[in-house]
């Protein structure tokens, strides 16, 4: 119902354009656990190789039943949040006792992303959508080209390469909150070591039937006191 | 993830003279595209007993340049009969950088101590320019340090002041440059010899928007909410 949105080019001989991302967030990780969904993301937004902003919330609640986490262009994420806000508003205005669940929100996001991709004007994000409604847990992902799926554990960006192998090994049905948090922190720590755009300040969000909690920002301890790190080139001067 | 991207030490490198010697400093991150290939690299490489070099840019290029210079300096030391001077070492680096400028992509800082000139720092950026300076900064992280050094640098610092300045500077650059990270390594060179130091992140100060590291969120949650007392 927007009067004018960012895709209106005004002329029919449409210019094909694909953007470049400017301010970007890195990985988001989501897992199902006993009571619902846990999602983790750091609070960094990079401007190329500069770590420009360090207090960006990349995990946000959507309505009563969902959580959205985003990596990629932050301005596009903010636009998506506006659209979701409008979606939830209109849903509430029906005042019919029903409310959009995570599955519905995921589908809406998929349509948004895919349709923009078809116009060669993508929203440059990878999104993680998780939630619980009527006891049913839901966790899904949508990429910037509209690829979407559900799984017990998902990750975006570098998380695909570094976190998912850990999750494949160590995730199991009915994780407790404590075990879920520890598992996410293990993944986030690896990302902190090995992803250039990672920042040591993160939030872990939880959604259950009762509602949403987003933790306060905090930093993780890292380990550097291996013997091999002290004098790595002692026996091989000139190496790394 | 482009694993075929060239290994590049995004890097922050610094060399500072003080009253009696030099302090060299660097971060420890080597990246392949966006992946951190080595989080504990040693970018401060020995050329002779009294001269070291900080390497930035292409890992391969900087390694081969320093290997050649170490080889040449070894022969030079034998022929000369005494330790090479910092100036000779720096000029050897310059010759290789300048004469191969179309092929190399590495910026370096040469620092050391000799009995004629004392502590000296030479900056050798891309292209093979050589500049003798009281302090030099290089690598992608150095962009964030020009303002800092304009304000914080002073002539005639002590050894400890100089080292603290270097550690603080590298730590500030690590905070903002995605291509720099890991630990801070320093090498202090003076008439007494060479000292290597290692500063992991828990020994570094916290900057704006950085938080004290914790073991886990679970520790914070259990500390934050004690059971209310009933009277």
């Amino acid at each position: 119902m927007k009067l004018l949105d960012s895709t209106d080019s005004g002329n029919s001989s449409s210019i094909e354009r694909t953007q470049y991302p400017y301010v970007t967030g890195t990985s988001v990780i989501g897992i199902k656990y006993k009571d619902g969904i846990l999602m983790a993301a750091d609070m960094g937004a990079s401007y190329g190789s500069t770590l420009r902003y360090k207090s960006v919330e990349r995990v946000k609640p959507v309505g009563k039943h969902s959580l959205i986490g985003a990596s990629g262009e932050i301005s596009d994420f903010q636009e998506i949040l506006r659209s979701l806000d409008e979606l939830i508003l209109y849903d509430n205005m029906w005042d019919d006792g029903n409310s959009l669940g995570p599955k519905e929100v995921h589908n809406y996001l998929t349509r948004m992303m895919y349709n923009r991709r078809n116009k060669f004007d993508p929203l440059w994000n990878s999104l993680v959508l998780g939630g619980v409604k009527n006891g049913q847990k839901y966790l899904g992902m949508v990429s910037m080209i509209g690829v979407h799926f559900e799984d017990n554990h998902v990750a975006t960006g570098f998380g695909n390469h570094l976190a998912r192998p850990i999750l494949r090994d160590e995730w199991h049905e009915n994780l407790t909150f404590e075990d879920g948090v520890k598992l996410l922190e293990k993944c986030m720590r690896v990302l902190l070591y090995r992803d250039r755009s990672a920042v040591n300040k993160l939030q872990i969000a939880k959604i259950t039937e009762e509602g949403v909690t987003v933790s306060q920002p905090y930093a993780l301890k890292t380990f550097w006191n291996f013997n091999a790190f002290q004098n790595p080139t002692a026996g091989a001067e000139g190496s790394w | 993830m482009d694993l075929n991207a060239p290994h590049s030490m995004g890097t922050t490198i610094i060399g500072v003279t003080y009253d009696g010697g030099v302090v060299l400093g660097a971060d420890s991150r080597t990246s392949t595209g966006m992946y951190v290939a080595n989080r504990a690299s040693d970018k401060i490489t020995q050329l002779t007993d009294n001269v070291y070099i900080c390497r930035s840019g292409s890992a391969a290029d900087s390694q081969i340049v320093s290997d050649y210079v170490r080889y040449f300096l070894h022969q030079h030391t034998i022929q000369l009969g005494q330790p090479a001077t910092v100036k000779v070492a720096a000029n050897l680096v310059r010759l290789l950088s300048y004469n191969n400028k179309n092929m190399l992509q590495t910026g370096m800082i040469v620092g050391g101590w000799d009995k004629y000139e004392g502590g000296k720092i030479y900056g050798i950026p891309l292209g093979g320019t050589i500049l003798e300076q009281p302090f030099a900064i290089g690598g992608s992280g150095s962009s964030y340090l020009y303002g800092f050094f304009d304000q914080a640098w002073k002539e005639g610092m002590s050894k400890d002041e100089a080292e603290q300045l270097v550690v603080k500077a590298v730590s500030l650059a690590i905070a903002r440059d995605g291509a720099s990270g890991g630990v801070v390594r320093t090498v202090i060179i003076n008439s007494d010899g060479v000292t290597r130091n290692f500063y992991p992140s828990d020994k570094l100060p916290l900057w704006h928007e950085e938080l004290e590291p914790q073991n886990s969120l679970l520790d914070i949650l259990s500390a934050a909410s004690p059971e209310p007392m009933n009277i």
Side-chain angles (χ1 to χ4, degrees), chain B residues 40-91:
Chain B
S41 340
D42 183 6
K43 303 180 190 179
I44 310 176
T45 300
Q46 189 188 29
L47 294 178
T48 67
D49 289 341
N50 56 318
V51 182
Y52 278 65
I53 184 170
C54 296
R55 304 179 288 111
S56 79
S58 158
D61 288 352
S62 65
Q63 280 178 1
I64 204 74
V65 166
S66 70
D67 284 349
Y68 269 116
V69 173
R70 189 178 317 109
Y71 169 64
F72 294 142
L73 280 173
H74 185 217
Q75 294 183 323
H76 172 66
T77 305
I78 293 167
Q79 290 166 354
L80 196 62
Q82 60 182 37
T85 58
V86 189
K87 186 183 259 187
V88 166
N91 275 288

Short mmCIF file of all heavy atoms in Angstrom, two decimals, chain B residues 40-91:
data_model
loop_
_atom_site.label_atom_id
_atom_site.label_comp_id
_atom_site.label_asym_id
_atom_site.label_seq_id
_atom_site.Cartn_x
_atom_site.Cartn_y
_atom_site.Cartn_z
N ALA B 40 47.50 -15.52 14.19
CA ALA B 40 48.63 -15.26 15.10
C ALA B 40 49.93 -15.13 14.33
O ALA B 40 50.96 -15.61 14.79
CB ALA B 40 48.71 -16.40 16.12
N SER B 41 49.88 -14.46 13.19
CA SER B 41 51.08 -14.33 12.36
C SER B 41 52.13 -13.47 13.04
O SER B 41 51.83 -12.66 13.92
CB SER B 41 50.78 -13.66 11.02
OG SER B 41 49.45 -13.71 10.68
N ASP B 42 53.35 -13.63 12.57
CA ASP B 42 54.45 -12.81 13.07
C ASP B 42 54.94 -11.96 11.90
O ASP B 42 55.60 -12.46 10.99
CB ASP B 42 55.57 -13.73 13.57
CG ASP B 42 56.72 -12.95 14.16
OD1 ASP B 42 56.62 -11.70 14.29
OD2 ASP B 42 57.74 -13.57 14.50
N LYS B 43 54.57 -10.68 11.90
CA LYS B 43 54.89 -9.83 10.76
C LYS B 43 56.18 -9.05 10.96
O LYS B 43 56.57 -8.26 10.10
CB LYS B 43 53.74 -8.85 10.51
CG LYS B 43 52.44 -9.58 10.28
CD LYS B 43 51.30 -8.66 10.03
CE LYS B 43 50.00 -9.44 10.05
NZ LYS B 43 48.83 -8.60 9.83
N ILE B 44 56.81 -9.23 12.12
CA ILE B 44 58.07 -8.53 12.39
C ILE B 44 59.18 -9.55 12.23
O ILE B 44 59.32 -10.47 13.04
CB ILE B 44 58.08 -7.91 13.79
CG1 ILE B 44 56.81 -7.10 14.01
CG2 ILE B 44 59.31 -7.03 13.96
CD1 ILE B 44 56.68 -6.54 15.40
N THR B 45 59.92 -9.40 11.14
CA THR B 45 60.86 -10.44 10.72
C THR B 45 62.30 -9.98 10.90
O THR B 45 62.61 -8.81 10.66
CB THR B 45 60.59 -10.74 9.24
OG1 THR B 45 59.25 -11.18 9.13
CG2 THR B 45 61.50 -11.81 8.70
N GLN B 46 63.13 -10.90 11.25
CA GLN B 46 64.52 -10.54 11.49
C GLN B 46 65.30 -10.47 10.18
O GLN B 46 65.18 -11.36 9.33
CB GLN B 46 65.17 -11.60 12.39
CG GLN B 46 66.53 -11.21 12.86
CD GLN B 46 67.24 -12.35 13.58
OE1 GLN B 46 67.00 -13.52 13.30
NE2 GLN B 46 68.11 -12.00 14.49
N LEU B 47 66.10 -9.42 10.00
CA LEU B 47 67.00 -9.35 8.86
C LEU B 47 68.42 -9.65 9.32
O LEU B 47 69.15 -10.43 8.70
CB LEU B 47 66.94 -7.97 8.21
CG LEU B 47 65.61 -7.59 7.54
CD1 LEU B 47 65.68 -6.19 6.97
CD2 LEU B 47 65.25 -8.59 6.45
N THR B 48 68.83 -9.00 10.43
CA THR B 48 70.12 -9.35 11.06
C THR B 48 69.88 -9.31 12.58
O THR B 48 68.77 -9.02 13.01
CB THR B 48 71.22 -8.33 10.75
OG1 THR B 48 70.89 -7.08 11.37
CG2 THR B 48 71.39 -8.12 9.26
N ASP B 49 70.93 -9.53 13.36
CA ASP B 49 70.78 -9.48 14.83
C ASP B 49 70.24 -8.14 15.29
O ASP B 49 69.53 -8.06 16.29
CB ASP B 49 72.15 -9.70 15.51
CG ASP B 49 72.60 -11.14 15.35
OD1 ASP B 49 71.76 -12.01 15.08
OD2 ASP B 49 73.82 -11.39 15.51
N ASN B 50 70.58 -7.07 14.57
CA ASN B 50 70.23 -5.73 15.04
C ASN B 50 69.23 -5.00 14.14
O ASN B 50 68.90 -3.85 14.41
CB ASN B 50 71.49 -4.88 15.19
CG ASN B 50 72.27 -4.83 13.87
OD1 ASN B 50 72.42 -5.84 13.18
ND2 ASN B 50 72.76 -3.67 13.51
N VAL B 51 68.74 -5.64 13.09
CA VAL B 51 67.78 -4.97 12.19
C VAL B 51 66.61 -5.89 11.91
O VAL B 51 66.78 -7.06 11.53
CB VAL B 51 68.43 -4.59 10.83
CG1 VAL B 51 67.42 -3.87 9.96
CG2 VAL B 51 69.67 -3.74 11.04
N TYR B 52 65.40 -5.32 12.09
CA TYR B 52 64.19 -6.09 11.83
C TYR B 52 63.33 -5.35 10.82
O TYR B 52 63.52 -4.15 10.59
CB TYR B 52 63.40 -6.29 13.14
CG TYR B 52 63.90 -7.43 13.98
CD1 TYR B 52 65.18 -7.40 14.56
CD2 TYR B 52 63.11 -8.56 14.22
CE1 TYR B 52 65.63 -8.45 15.33
CE2 TYR B 52 63.56 -9.61 15.00
CZ TYR B 52 64.83 -9.56 15.55
OH TYR B 52 65.28 -10.60 16.32
N ILE B 53 62.38 -6.06 10.22
CA ILE B 53 61.50 -5.43 9.23
C ILE B 53 60.04 -5.77 9.52
O ILE B 53 59.72 -6.91 9.86
CB ILE B 53 61.91 -5.89 7.79
CG1 ILE B 53 61.07 -5.16 6.74
CG2 ILE B 53 61.77 -7.40 7.63
CD1 ILE B 53 61.58 -5.39 5.33
N CYS B 54 59.17 -4.76 9.41
CA CYS B 54 57.72 -4.99 9.53
C CYS B 54 57.17 -5.13 8.13
O CYS B 54 57.44 -4.28 7.27
CB CYS B 54 57.00 -3.81 10.18
SG CYS B 54 57.47 -3.48 11.85
N ARG B 55 56.35 -6.17 7.91
CA ARG B 55 55.87 -6.45 6.55
C ARG B 55 54.37 -6.20 6.45
O ARG B 55 53.62 -6.55 7.36
CB ARG B 55 56.14 -7.92 6.18
CG ARG B 55 57.60 -8.30 6.31
CD ARG B 55 57.88 -9.77 5.96
NE ARG B 55 57.41 -10.72 6.95
CZ ARG B 55 56.39 -11.57 6.77
NH1 ARG B 55 55.75 -11.61 5.64
NH2 ARG B 55 56.03 -12.38 7.73
N SER B 56 53.93 -5.59 5.32
CA SER B 56 52.49 -5.45 5.11
C SER B 56 52.19 -5.66 3.64
O SER B 56 53.09 -5.68 2.81
CB SER B 56 52.00 -4.06 5.53
OG SER B 56 52.30 -3.10 4.54
N GLY B 57 50.91 -5.80 3.29
CA GLY B 57 50.52 -6.01 1.90
C GLY B 57 50.57 -7.49 1.57
O GLY B 57 50.20 -8.33 2.38
N SER B 58 51.02 -7.81 0.39
CA SER B 58 51.03 -9.22 -0.04
C SER B 58 52.00 -10.01 0.85
O SER B 58 53.16 -9.66 0.99
CB SER B 58 51.46 -9.30 -1.50
OG SER B 58 51.96 -10.60 -1.78
N ALA B 59 51.50 -11.10 1.42
CA ALA B 59 52.34 -11.92 2.30
C ALA B 59 53.50 -12.52 1.52
O ALA B 59 54.64 -12.53 1.96
CB ALA B 59 51.49 -13.03 2.94
N ALA B 60 53.18 -13.00 0.31
CA ALA B 60 54.21 -13.66 -0.50
C ALA B 60 55.31 -12.68 -0.88
O ALA B 60 56.50 -12.96 -0.74
CB ALA B 60 53.57 -14.25 -1.75
N ASP B 61 54.90 -11.50 -1.37
CA ASP B 61 55.89 -10.51 -1.82
C ASP B 61 56.78 -10.05 -0.68
O ASP B 61 58.00 -9.94 -0.83
CB ASP B 61 55.17 -9.30 -2.44
CG ASP B 61 54.57 -9.63 -3.80
OD1 ASP B 61 54.83 -10.72 -4.33
OD2 ASP B 61 53.81 -8.78 -4.33
N SER B 62 56.17 -9.78 0.49
CA SER B 62 56.98 -9.26 1.60
C SER B 62 57.91 -10.33 2.13
O SER B 62 59.03 -10.04 2.55
CB SER B 62 56.08 -8.73 2.72
OG SER B 62 55.34 -9.78 3.27
N GLN B 63 57.47 -11.58 2.09
CA GLN B 63 58.34 -12.66 2.57
C GLN B 63 59.55 -12.82 1.66
O GLN B 63 60.68 -12.97 2.12
CB GLN B 63 57.58 -13.99 2.63
CG GLN B 63 56.72 -14.12 3.85
CD GLN B 63 55.93 -15.41 3.90
OE1 GLN B 63 56.04 -16.26 3.00
NE2 GLN B 63 55.12 -15.57 4.91
N ILE B 64 59.31 -12.78 0.36
CA ILE B 64 60.43 -13.03 -0.57
C ILE B 64 61.42 -11.87 -0.53
O ILE B 64 62.64 -12.07 -0.59
CB ILE B 64 59.90 -13.33 -2.00
CG1 ILE B 64 60.93 -14.13 -2.78
CG2 ILE B 64 59.52 -12.09 -2.76
CD1 ILE B 64 61.05 -15.57 -2.38
N VAL B 65 60.90 -10.65 -0.40
CA VAL B 65 61.80 -9.49 -0.30
C VAL B 65 62.66 -9.62 0.95
O VAL B 65 63.89 -9.45 0.90
CB VAL B 65 61.01 -8.17 -0.28
CG1 VAL B 65 61.88 -7.00 0.17
CG2 VAL B 65 60.42 -7.88 -1.66
N SER B 66 62.03 -9.95 2.08
CA SER B 66 62.82 -10.03 3.32
C SER B 66 63.79 -11.20 3.27
O SER B 66 64.90 -11.11 3.80
CB SER B 66 61.92 -10.08 4.55
OG SER B 66 61.24 -11.30 4.63
N ASP B 67 63.42 -12.30 2.59
CA ASP B 67 64.34 -13.43 2.46
C ASP B 67 65.57 -13.05 1.66
O ASP B 67 66.70 -13.35 2.05
CB ASP B 67 63.65 -14.61 1.75
CG ASP B 67 62.68 -15.35 2.66
OD1 ASP B 67 62.68 -15.08 3.89
OD2 ASP B 67 61.91 -16.19 2.15
N TYR B 68 65.37 -12.34 0.53
CA TYR B 68 66.52 -11.89 -0.28
C TYR B 68 67.40 -10.94 0.51
O TYR B 68 68.63 -11.06 0.50
CB TYR B 68 66.02 -11.18 -1.55
CG TYR B 68 65.83 -12.08 -2.74
CD1 TYR B 68 64.58 -12.29 -3.29
CD2 TYR B 68 66.92 -12.73 -3.33
CE1 TYR B 68 64.40 -13.10 -4.39
CE2 TYR B 68 66.75 -13.56 -4.43
CZ TYR B 68 65.49 -13.74 -4.96
OH TYR B 68 65.32 -14.56 -6.04
N VAL B 69 66.78 -9.98 1.19
CA VAL B 69 67.57 -8.99 1.93
C VAL B 69 68.35 -9.66 3.06
O VAL B 69 69.51 -9.32 3.31
CB VAL B 69 66.66 -7.86 2.48
CG1 VAL B 69 67.41 -6.93 3.40
CG2 VAL B 69 66.07 -7.07 1.31
N ARG B 70 67.74 -10.63 3.72
CA ARG B 70 68.46 -11.35 4.78
C ARG B 70 69.68 -12.06 4.21
O ARG B 70 70.77 -12.02 4.78
CB ARG B 70 67.54 -12.36 5.48
CG ARG B 70 68.15 -13.01 6.73
CD ARG B 70 67.22 -13.99 7.45
NE ARG B 70 65.87 -13.48 7.54
CZ ARG B 70 64.84 -13.96 6.85
NH1 ARG B 70 64.97 -15.00 6.04
NH2 ARG B 70 63.66 -13.41 6.97
N TYR B 71 69.53 -12.65 3.06
CA TYR B 71 70.61 -13.36 2.36
C TYR B 71 71.73 -12.39 2.00
O TYR B 71 72.90 -12.62 2.30
CB TYR B 71 69.99 -14.03 1.14
CG TYR B 71 70.94 -14.61 0.12
CD1 TYR B 71 71.78 -15.67 0.46
CD2 TYR B 71 70.97 -14.12 -1.18
CE1 TYR B 71 72.63 -16.23 -0.49
CE2 TYR B 71 71.81 -14.67 -2.13
CZ TYR B 71 72.64 -15.72 -1.79
OH TYR B 71 73.47 -16.27 -2.73
N PHE B 72 71.35 -11.25 1.38
CA PHE B 72 72.37 -10.27 0.99
C PHE B 72 73.08 -9.70 2.22
O PHE B 72 74.31 -9.52 2.19
CB PHE B 72 71.74 -9.11 0.20
CG PHE B 72 71.19 -9.51 -1.13
CD1 PHE B 72 70.02 -8.94 -1.60
CD2 PHE B 72 71.84 -10.44 -1.93
CE1 PHE B 72 69.50 -9.30 -2.84
CE2 PHE B 72 71.33 -10.81 -3.18
CZ PHE B 72 70.15 -10.23 -3.64
N LEU B 73 72.31 -9.41 3.26
CA LEU B 73 72.91 -8.83 4.47
C LEU B 73 73.86 -9.82 5.14
O LEU B 73 74.88 -9.42 5.71
CB LEU B 73 71.83 -8.42 5.47
CG LEU B 73 71.15 -7.10 5.18
CD1 LEU B 73 69.98 -6.89 6.15
CD2 LEU B 73 72.12 -5.93 5.29
N HIS B 74 73.55 -11.07 5.06
CA HIS B 74 74.42 -12.10 5.64
C HIS B 74 75.79 -12.05 4.97
O HIS B 74 76.83 -12.00 5.62
CB HIS B 74 73.75 -13.48 5.46
CG HIS B 74 74.51 -14.59 6.13
ND1 HIS B 74 74.62 -15.86 5.60
CD2 HIS B 74 75.19 -14.63 7.29
CE1 HIS B 74 75.34 -16.62 6.40
NE2 HIS B 74 75.70 -15.90 7.44
N GLN B 75 75.76 -12.00 3.63
CA GLN B 75 77.03 -11.93 2.90
C GLN B 75 77.76 -10.61 3.19
O GLN B 75 78.96 -10.59 3.40
CB GLN B 75 76.78 -12.02 1.39
CG GLN B 75 76.21 -13.34 0.96
CD GLN B 75 76.04 -13.41 -0.54
OE1 GLN B 75 75.68 -12.42 -1.18
NE2 GLN B 75 76.29 -14.58 -1.12
N HIS B 76 76.98 -9.54 3.22
CA HIS B 76 77.55 -8.21 3.47
C HIS B 76 78.24 -8.15 4.83
O HIS B 76 79.33 -7.57 4.97
CB HIS B 76 76.42 -7.18 3.38
CG HIS B 76 76.80 -5.80 3.80
ND1 HIS B 76 77.72 -5.04 3.12
CD2 HIS B 76 76.38 -5.04 4.84
CE1 HIS B 76 77.84 -3.86 3.71
NE2 HIS B 76 77.05 -3.84 4.78
N THR B 77 77.62 -8.75 5.83
CA THR B 77 78.18 -8.76 7.19
C THR B 77 79.52 -9.49 7.22
O THR B 77 80.48 -9.04 7.86
CB THR B 77 77.22 -9.46 8.18
OG1 THR B 77 75.97 -8.83 8.10
CG2 THR B 77 77.74 -9.38 9.61
N ILE B 78 79.59 -10.61 6.49
CA ILE B 78 80.85 -11.37 6.43
C ILE B 78 81.93 -10.51 5.79
O ILE B 78 83.05 -10.40 6.29
CB ILE B 78 80.66 -12.68 5.64
CG1 ILE B 78 79.74 -13.63 6.41
CG2 ILE B 78 82.00 -13.36 5.37
CD1 ILE B 78 79.25 -14.81 5.60
N GLN B 79 81.57 -9.87 4.65
CA GLN B 79 82.56 -9.07 3.94
C GLN B 79 82.98 -7.83 4.73
O GLN B 79 84.15 -7.44 4.72
CB GLN B 79 82.00 -8.63 2.57
CG GLN B 79 81.87 -9.80 1.60
CD GLN B 79 81.01 -9.44 0.39
OE1 GLN B 79 80.41 -8.37 0.32
NE2 GLN B 79 80.94 -10.36 -0.56
N LEU B 80 82.02 -7.22 5.41
CA LEU B 80 82.30 -5.99 6.16
C LEU B 80 83.08 -6.28 7.45
O LEU B 80 83.86 -5.45 7.89
CB LEU B 80 80.96 -5.32 6.51
CG LEU B 80 80.98 -3.87 6.96
CD1 LEU B 80 81.52 -2.98 5.88
CD2 LEU B 80 79.57 -3.44 7.34
N GLY B 81 82.85 -7.44 8.04
CA GLY B 81 83.52 -7.83 9.29
C GLY B 81 82.86 -7.27 10.53
O GLY B 81 83.39 -7.38 11.63
N GLN B 82 81.70 -6.65 10.39
CA GLN B 82 80.98 -6.13 11.57
C GLN B 82 79.49 -6.04 11.22
O GLN B 82 79.13 -6.14 10.04
CB GLN B 82 81.54 -4.77 11.98
CG GLN B 82 81.46 -3.70 10.93
CD GLN B 82 82.09 -2.40 11.43
OE1 GLN B 82 83.08 -2.38 12.14
NE2 GLN B 82 81.48 -1.30 11.04
N PRO B 83 78.64 -5.82 12.22
CA PRO B 83 77.21 -5.79 11.94
C PRO B 83 76.83 -4.75 10.89
O PRO B 83 77.41 -3.66 10.85
CB PRO B 83 76.58 -5.44 13.28
CG PRO B 83 77.57 -5.85 14.30
CD PRO B 83 78.92 -5.70 13.67
N ALA B 84 75.88 -5.09 10.04
CA ALA B 84 75.41 -4.16 9.01
C ALA B 84 74.69 -3.00 9.68
O ALA B 84 74.13 -3.14 10.77
CB ALA B 84 74.46 -4.88 8.05
N THR B 85 74.69 -1.84 9.00
CA THR B 85 73.94 -0.70 9.55
C THR B 85 72.49 -0.78 9.09
O THR B 85 72.17 -1.44 8.10
CB THR B 85 74.52 0.63 9.07
OG1 THR B 85 74.48 0.63 7.63
CG2 THR B 85 75.94 0.83 9.54
N VAL B 86 71.64 -0.07 9.82
CA VAL B 86 70.20 -0.06 9.48
C VAL B 86 70.02 0.56 8.10
O VAL B 86 69.20 0.11 7.30
CB VAL B 86 69.40 0.74 10.53
CG1 VAL B 86 67.91 0.57 10.30
CG2 VAL B 86 69.76 0.31 11.94
N LYS B 87 70.83 1.57 7.80
CA LYS B 87 70.70 2.28 6.52
C LYS B 87 70.96 1.33 5.35
O LYS B 87 70.24 1.36 4.34
CB LYS B 87 71.70 3.44 6.47
CG LYS B 87 71.53 4.33 5.24
CD LYS B 87 72.58 5.42 5.18
CE LYS B 87 71.96 6.71 5.66
NZ LYS B 87 72.85 7.87 5.48
N VAL B 88 71.98 0.49 5.46
CA VAL B 88 72.28 -0.46 4.39
C VAL B 88 71.12 -1.45 4.21
O VAL B 88 70.68 -1.72 3.09
CB VAL B 88 73.60 -1.22 4.69
CG1 VAL B 88 73.75 -2.43 3.80
CG2 VAL B 88 74.78 -0.28 4.51
N ALA B 89 70.63 -1.95 5.33
CA ALA B 89 69.51 -2.91 5.26
C ALA B 89 68.32 -2.27 4.57
O ALA B 89 67.71 -2.86 3.66
CB ALA B 89 69.12 -3.36 6.66
N ALA B 90 68.01 -1.04 4.97
CA ALA B 90 66.85 -0.36 4.40
C ALA B 90 67.03 -0.11 2.91
O ALA B 90 66.10 -0.27 2.12
CB ALA B 90 66.61 0.96 5.13
N ASN B 91 68.22 0.23 2.52
CA ASN B 91 68.45 0.50 1.10
C ASN B 91 68.40 -0.76 0.24
O ASN B 91 67.99 -0.70 -0.92
CB ASN B 91 69.77 1.26 0.90
CG ASN B 91 69.54 2.75 1.06
OD1 ASN B 91 68.94 3.39 0.21
ND2 ASN B 91 69.97 3.29 2.18
#
